[in-house]
């Protein structure tokens, strides 16, 4: 096995173990045992457990972001919302270990950029540009696009985490209901909404 192949093997094994047991529950010894190598091989490639974990998380962050970004490239805003929701649900279904690594409590050695919330924040910034243009077209304040993009992406992300465990209804139906709530809400936005129970200033 070449050095590159060994590195990929260790990343694959690490990804599975971190998903199953979390950062604290995974040891260098266990990774080495599954890979049938000695501990120094892992230190040589990654410097230790923290280095391996950082590589695993970075790959998952990029993989998920690339999926969702690809879904936000063209089409009507409603179609973009549908495609983004399906992209997240597809990832959860096809990459359960990766999603578990991203949503588990992160190790203290990682920067905030290596988290599921950071991916969703990046997605929200992309959605913000789409909503900003749509708001301008409708005569709504485009400065509020940031708020609405965070709300939309947050809703999809939380439902995605719930669906990971529930796995019903089917992902297509989940996406359809998400879009139903989000799009029909966006379609009837008030230019200056007010609270009924407390006056806004």
């Amino acid at each position: 096995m070449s050095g590159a192949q060994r590195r990929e093997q260790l990343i694959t094994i690490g990804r599975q173990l971190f998903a199953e047991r979390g950062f604290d529950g995974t040891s260098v010894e266990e990774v080495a045992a599954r890979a049938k190598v000695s501990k120094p091989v892992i230190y040589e490639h990654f410097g230790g457990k923290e280095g391996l974990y950082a590589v695993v998380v970075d790959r998952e962050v990029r993989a998920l972001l690339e999926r969702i970004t690809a879904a936000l490239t063209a089409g009507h805003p409603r179609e973009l919302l549908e495609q983004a929701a399906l992209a997240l649900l597809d990832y959860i279904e096809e990459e359960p270990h990766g999603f578990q690594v991203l949503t588990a409590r992160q190790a203290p050695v990682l920067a905030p950029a290596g988290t599921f919330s950071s991916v969703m924040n990046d997605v929200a910034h992309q959605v913000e540009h789409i909503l900003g243009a749509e708001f301008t077209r409708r005569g709504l304040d485009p400065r509020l696009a940031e708020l609405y993009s965070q709300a939309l992406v947050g809703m999809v992300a939380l439902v995605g985490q719930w669906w990971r465990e529930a796995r019903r209804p089917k992902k297509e139906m989940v996406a359809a209901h998400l879009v139903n709530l989000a799009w029909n809400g966006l379609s009837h936005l008030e230019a200056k909404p007010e609270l009924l129970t407390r006056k806004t200033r």
Side-chain angles (χ1 to χ4, degrees), residues 7-181:
R7 179 180 174 85
E8 289 302 315
Q9 179 205 31
L10 293 172
I11 291 171
T12 300
I13 291 171
R15 180 179 186 255
Q16 183 176 357
L17 284 171
F18 290 133
E20 293 172 357
R21 306 186 180 187
F23 176 81
D24 292 334
T26 300
S27 67
V28 171
E29 290 83 359
E30 192 167 14
V31 175
R34 285 207 187 181
K36 295 181 171 58
V37 299
S38 62
K39 287 169 53 179
V41 173
I42 296 172
Y43 288 109
E44 177 186 347
H45 281 280
F46 305 102
K49 183 173 75 168
E50 293 84 357
L52 175 59
Y53 188 76
V55 170
V56 169
V57 171
D58 180 66
R59 282 198 177 190
E60 294 307 320
V61 165
R62 286 189 285 111
L64 178 54
L65 191 56
E66 285 170 7
R67 279 184 183 238
I68 298 178
T69 298
L72 294 173
T73 54
H76 185 274
R78 176 170 180 155
E79 294 174 330
L80 294 174
L81 181 60
E82 179 179 309
Q83 292 162 8
L86 279 171
L88 176 61
L89 295 174
D90 282 342
Y91 175 80
I92 293 170
E93 182 177 62
E94 297 166 12
E95 305 291 347
H97 285 152
F99 190 70
Q100 178 63 30
V101 167
L102 286 180
T103 54
R105 184 174 66 85
Q106 299 298 312
V109 298
L110 286 183
T115 63
F116 179 66
S117 61
S118 74
V119 177
M120 293 296 98
N121 196 49
D122 286 343
V123 172
H125 284 310
Q126 297 181 51
V127 172
E128 179 185 343
H129 296 300
I130 297 168
L131 286 183
E134 185 70 9
F135 279 19
T136 299
R137 188 182 69 80
R138 293 190 192 181
L140 300 171
D141 187 351
R143 293 174 297 180
L144 292 173
E146 181 179 8
L147 186 159
Y148 282 95
S149 68
Q150 292 287 341
L152 281 174
V153 172
M155 177 180 70
V156 173
L158 282 175
V159 170
Q161 288 180 280
W162 163 79
W163 185 76
R164 177 186 62 183
E165 303 297 333
R167 290 305 171 103
R168 69 182 201 284
K170 292 183 177 180
K171 65 182 175 184
E172 291 80 9
M173 185 177 291
V174 173
H177 282 288
L178 279 169
V179 173
N180 183 38
L181 174 60

